[in-house]
Amino acid sequence: MGAILIMLLAAATRAGGLIFVVTDSSCPIGIYHVVHQPLARGELVEACLPEAIASYGMARGYLASGECPNGAEPVIKVIGALAGDRVDLSSEEIHVNGTALPQSSMRLRDSRGRAVRTLPRGSYETTANEVWLFGLHDARSWDSRYFGPVPVNAVLGAVEPVFTLGRFTPAK
């Protein structure tokens, strides 16, 4: 009964322009709304992942079905890198333009013990049409550490809290 109530509440908030977040991997659980403003590093955003990434995420149980054109749910992540930024990936942490991102170590296994597909370690230059999305609120987040940058046009908008069960501190 509780799951049905949560699903109905989520559908009602989505229809009203609000997002009901029930996982804390990228931000505190709560209600958010999308705003349209220029993208900035450290900004919390909602995005529809590209088909190949979303298919993998759905097959692994990292994403549920949702409203994105490919049938996946949108993700809420923090923009970690924009056009012109250099991203250095290592097992220990991620650096953007030489600055380490907090809680950014890469995991070799997911919470079910399965091997996680990751990008090769090394340096990446972010192109004009890309952003790197990170969920730095929880080490379990499945994000650009594992699937790489996504197209800028995948970002639906910035996400601002209406009511949350915790405090969101963006990593800029």
Side-chain angles (χ1 to χ4, degrees), residues 16 28 35 39 49-50 64 66 74 76 78 81 92-93 95 104 106 108-109 140 146 150 162:
V35 296
L39 300 180
L49 297 176
I76 296 180
V78 175
E92 296 77 37
E93 60 191 358
H95 287 84
S104 62
M106 293 175 73
L108 299 177
R109 301 211 167 268
R140 298 170 299 131
Y146 305 100
V150 299
V162 173

Side-chain angles (χ1 to χ4, degrees), residues 4-156:
I4 293 171
L5 182 60
I6 289 172
M7 288 171 49
L8 289 172
L9 180 57
T13 56
R14 175 64 75 180
L18 299 174
I19 304 163
F20 189 67
V21 177
V22 295
T23 179
D24 63 353
S25 69
S26 298
C27 61
I29 292 171
I31 300 172
Y32 295 78
H33 68 99
V34 176
V35 296
H36 298 285
Q37 60 191 39
L39 300 180
R41 194 178 311 102
E43 193 77 49
L44 190 63
V45 297
E46 181 180 44
C48 285
L49 297 176
E51 176 68 38
I53 298 168
S55 294
Y56 178 81
M58 289 177 69
R60 301 281 292 208
Y62 304 153
L63 297 176
S65 297
E67 301 85 29
C68 290
N70 55 29
E73 68 181 334
V75 296
I76 296 180
K77 304 289 181 192
V78 175
I79 293 178
L82 296 163
D85 288 341
R86 187 175 114 200
V87 177
D88 295 308
L89 298 179
S90 76
S91 298
E92 296 77 37
E93 60 191 358
I94 309 283
H95 287 84
V96 175
N97 300 327
T99 301
L101 298 180
Q103 300 181 46
S104 62
S105 63
M106 293 175 73
R107 298 173 61 126
L108 299 177
R109 301 211 167 268
D110 66 15
S111 58
R112 295 180 184 162
R114 299 172 296 181
V116 178
R117 183 170 70 189
T118 64
L119 288 178
R121 308 308 187 258
S123 294
Y124 297 84
E125 291 294 323
T126 309
T127 68
N129 62 346
E130 296 176 330
V131 293
W132 289 69
L133 302 175
F134 297 107
L136 303 174
H137 196 262
D138 186 309
R140 298 170 299 131
S141 179
W142 181 66
D143 54 37
S144 285
R145 289 175 278 195
Y146 305 100
F147 53 73
V150 299
V152 168
N153 64 7
V155 177
L156 303 174

